Amino acid sequence: MEIWDLHCHLSGVPGDTPESRLAAILRYADRMGIARLCVCMGMQWNYDPKPETMRQENDDVLRAIRAYPDRTFGFVYINPNHTTASLQELNRCVRDGPMVGVKLWVAERCSARSLDPIIAAATELEAPILQHTWIKITGNLPGESTPLDLALLARRHPRAILICGHTGGDWEVGIRAIRGHSNIYADLAGGDPAAGFTEMAVRELGAERVLYGSDAGGRSFASQLAKVLGAAIPESARRLILAGNAKRILGPILERKGVRL
Amino acid sequence: MREHERVLEIQEVPDNRAPQLDRRVFLAGAAAAMGGAVFPSTAPAAPAREESGLVDVNVNLGRWPLRRLPHDQTELLASTLRSHGVTQAWAGSFDGLLHKDIAAVNARLADECQRHGAGLLVPFGSVNPKLPDWEEDLRRCVQIHRMRGIRLHPNYHGYQLDDPVFARLLALAAKNDLVVQVALVMEDERMMHPLLRVEPVATEPLAGLIKGIPGLRLTLLNALRTLRGDALGKLVAAGDVYVEISMIEGVGAVGCLLDLLPADRVLFGSHAPLFYFEAAKMKLEESPLKPEVLRAIRHQNAKRLLA
């Protein structure tokens, strides 16, 4: 069964260069039978990166994915607190470069209006947007989004392809929050392999809206794959979650870039 | 206590179905635990003798208090474990987290293991040392249910590991040849129910405590989320201490763990049915492990620990 991992970082493995880290991650991916990885940031972690740091993070990913073009795709990391620089990065890395998606993390909550030009531009490029979300009883970071924030964004941008990173961590709440928005996909990545997560996502959203991701290298490929391979769901749903949905979502932008699968 | 010594004890106890040690004797034993009293056990189950297999040291029976789980019925869990090649599973009880009638919890656990998992499920009873007369629960684990180990939840039961009652419980368990499992967490503290928040168990007092309790065999469950690096290495080195892999994370995490700990201290644990069982099993595939290391983690360490 083909597997595409929608959510990986250049972290969790030794290596001084982006290429060496991605090589190390791919060795583990090979052991788990994962064909393709979508990669963003991870050589360093910056909650609220300045424009030059953003560029450095994206240069790292560009170097890494250029070394493994048949195995990896890049997502550009941008910061909505720097709109102009973010749009420049989007154009540099996605419109004019090899990257195929957008990563938003914790600099600003995604319900903020400052995201609108970025989301509009990404939508025009047919680039999916992976937005980190979490609902923490221990307290979110100031700019950390919840699935409810993403739902507000989805309402303003119904054509955008939005991926709810981690499905909010507290997935029983996260799934409910995004249920009514058909352009939001649930990302299984990160979080413990809590039994029932995938079953509920398939039941409430439909298998077509559920995506396998790992959050490697901080998370184990194994623990995250188990959410799909261990779930009591039909085999057809498993195939969609592991690769079918990713191919469908990324299909238009890959075609636009002339990537043949 | 070795197995032949247990056999001798069996012969000394006339009624091996429901032995009732005189309560005064029992309490004296509890009070003298640090000094050497032992609850006579009647008929301990012999550990599995398979030369190969998979021993899961971390499963739970019953209902998780906050949601239904796909395998929270014992027969389904046992069937799933068997389908994955598990030859023995050490089972605690979710009821042991919050219930106050621990005696009933342990009786149900023993019964469920026997009825639905004979030969597979090994019951590990709960003991809450903050409840009055907890020693009686421990005595029943040993004498009535013939358990080989106990599972403790200090954070759900409201005590720290520097509480003198914890030391007394460990000593009494060691004197009765019980494997002691301490669960440091049950779930990610970031997503706990707002009315059921508990901190991870703080392990700082444990290394010093272990050194003063000869014969203690200690397994830390769900530990590798919060216990890492030097603190983990020092604690494992402090005594006969083991960890299991259910909550370890990161690519190739088991292989990385073996850079820190000797392979003979690492056990296979799934935390099923709260976690998908497959997660732990696939972690063993994710890391390149030598065959002898894999055998040790899969079953040899656990069998030696329970022998």
Side-chain angles (χ1 to χ4, degrees), chain B residues 23-296:
Chain B
R23 185 176 177 79
R24 284 174 301 172
V25 174
F26 172 80
L27 290 174
M34 301 294 271
V38 176
F39 308 154
S41 179
T42 55
R49 289 295 182 197
E50 296 91 345
E51 289 307 309
S52 62
L54 182 60
V55 178
D56 187 340
V57 304
N58 185 13
V59 306
N60 280 290
L61 308 188
R63 298 276 171 84
W64 176 242
L66 299 169
R67 80 176 74 94
R68 291 301 304 270
L69 303 171
H71 295 101
D72 63 10
Q73 297 170 70
T74 306
E75 58 270 39
L76 286 178
L77 179 63
S79 171
T80 298
L81 293 172
R82 286 192 173 104
S83 74
H84 284 289
V86 174
T87 47
Q88 188 180 83
W90 302 0
S93 171
F94 286 135
D95 291 347
L97 296 173
L98 300 175
H99 288 213
K100 296 173 187 170
D101 185 359
I102 293 293
V105 169
N106 289 335
R108 278 197 305 276
L109 175 67
D111 180 61
E112 285 281 298
C113 288
Q114 181 59 40
R115 280 198 297 132
H116 299 294
L120 174 73
L121 298 175
V122 178
F124 273 54
S126 296
V127 178
N128 179 352
K130 301 309 284 186
L131 289 172
D133 200 25
W134 59 267
E135 294 91 343
E136 174 63 11
D137 291 322
L138 186 66
R139 186 194 69 77
R140 293 184 195 184
C141 286
V142 175
Q143 294 188 328
I144 306 295
H145 305 306
R146 305 167 191 173
M147 290 175 176
R148 306 301 307 275
I150 55 172
R151 188 169 294 179
L152 307 180
H153 296 281
N155 46 359
Y156 284 87
H157 294 165
Y159 61 93
Q160 303 292 320
L161 301 192
D162 57 3
D163 190 321
V165 77
F166 177 64
R168 202 153 69 87
L169 171 53
L170 288 185
L172 203 50
K175 291 296 180 188
N176 282 277
D177 205 24
L178 294 169
V179 172
V180 177
Q181 297 188 317
V182 177
L184 300 196
V185 297
M186 290 299 283
E187 58 174 344
D188 188 329
E189 61 272 20
R190 293 173 297 176
M191 287 89 77
M192 288 176 169
H193 192 285
L195 300 180
L196 194 56
R197 294 179 64 183
V198 294
E199 294 289 325
V201 174
T203 55
E204 287 78 7
L206 207 43
L209 204 53
I210 290 164
K211 291 173 183 167
I213 304 174
L216 177 65
R217 291 169 295 158
L218 184 67
T219 305
L220 303 175
L221 304 184
N222 310 330
L224 300 177
R225 172 180 170 74
T226 53
L227 183 59
R228 299 175 186 176
D230 286 348
L232 172 62
K234 286 176 182 171
L235 181 50
V236 168
D240 205 5
V241 181
Y242 300 76
V243 295
E244 53 80 34
I245 64 169
S246 64
M247 282 201 180
I248 196 167
E249 279 293 349
V251 289
V254 175
C256 295
L257 179 66
L258 295 171
D259 293 335
L260 184 67
L261 301 182
D264 64 0
R265 299 301 183 90
V266 180
L267 305 169
F268 178 83
S270 71
H271 200 26
L274 193 54
F275 283 7
Y276 291 110
F277 174 86
E278 288 81 353
K281 193 171 181 190
M282 290 167 62
K283 284 177 189 172
L284 297 182
E285 298 165 11
E286 184 171 348
S287 291
L289 303 174
K290 293 177 181 173
E292 62 270 25
V293 170
L294 200 53
R295 279 196 298 274

Side-chain angles (χ1 to χ4, degrees), chain A residues 42-233:
Chain A
M43 290 299 290
Q44 49 186 315
W45 298 109
N46 289 287
Y47 285 167
D48 189 7
K50 294 176 179 172
E52 58 269 27
T53 310
M54 250 193 313
R55 280 192 290 275
Q56 180 61 53
E57 292 259 16
N58 293 323
D59 283 345
D60 289 339
V61 172
L62 286 167
R63 279 179 57 181
I65 64 172
R66 279 181 178 134
Y68 300 96
D70 298 332
R71 298 292 304 280
T72 60
F73 301 117
F75 276 39
V76 62
Y77 175 36
I78 54 184
N79 178 352
N81 290 330
H82 300 284
T83 306
T84 303
S86 289
L87 290 170
Q88 287 171 348
E89 277 299 276
L90 184 64
N91 288 337
R92 180 176 79 100
C93 297
V94 178
R95 188 192 65 191
D96 306 325
M99 292 195 185
V100 300
V102 174
K103 166 71 177 190
L104 291 163
W105 196 27
V106 294
E108 175 61 284
R109 292 173 72 150
C110 65
S111 52
R113 291 283 177 181
S114 59
L115 270 80
D116 286 343
I118 295 167
I119 303 302
T123 303
E124 288 308 307
L125 293 170
E126 300 181 282
I129 297 145
L130 171 56
Q131 170 66 63
H132 166 98
T133 66
W134 214 282
I135 304 167
K136 297 173 182 167
I137 191 71
T138 49
N140 279 28
L141 295 165
E144 190 169 23
S145 302
T146 71
L148 291 160
D149 290 312
L150 195 61
L152 292 172
L153 185 69
R155 198 167 289 149
R156 298 204 303 272
H157 296 273
R159 288 178 48 238
I161 304 164
L162 301 171
I163 302 171
C164 186
H166 317 296
T167 315
D170 189 342
W171 44 270
E172 289 169 290
V173 179
I175 290 169
R176 295 174 64 92
I178 65 172
R179 185 165 53 191
H181 301 274
S182 60
N183 60 327
I184 304 182
Y185 296 79
D187 167 33
L188 300 178
D192 289 332
F197 180 0
T198 309
E199 288 90 337
M200 180 180 175
V202 169
R203 185 186 76 224
E204 296 299 327
L205 307 176
E208 294 78 8
R209 287 177 58 194
V210 184
L211 298 166
Y212 161 69
S214 64
D215 208 13
R219 288 279 175 178
S220 152
F221 285 122
S223 70
Q224 307 303 301
L225 272 173
K227 294 175 181 172
V228 188
L229 299 178
I233 54 175

Side-chain angles (χ1 to χ4, degrees), chain A residues 191 226 236:
Chain A
S236 57

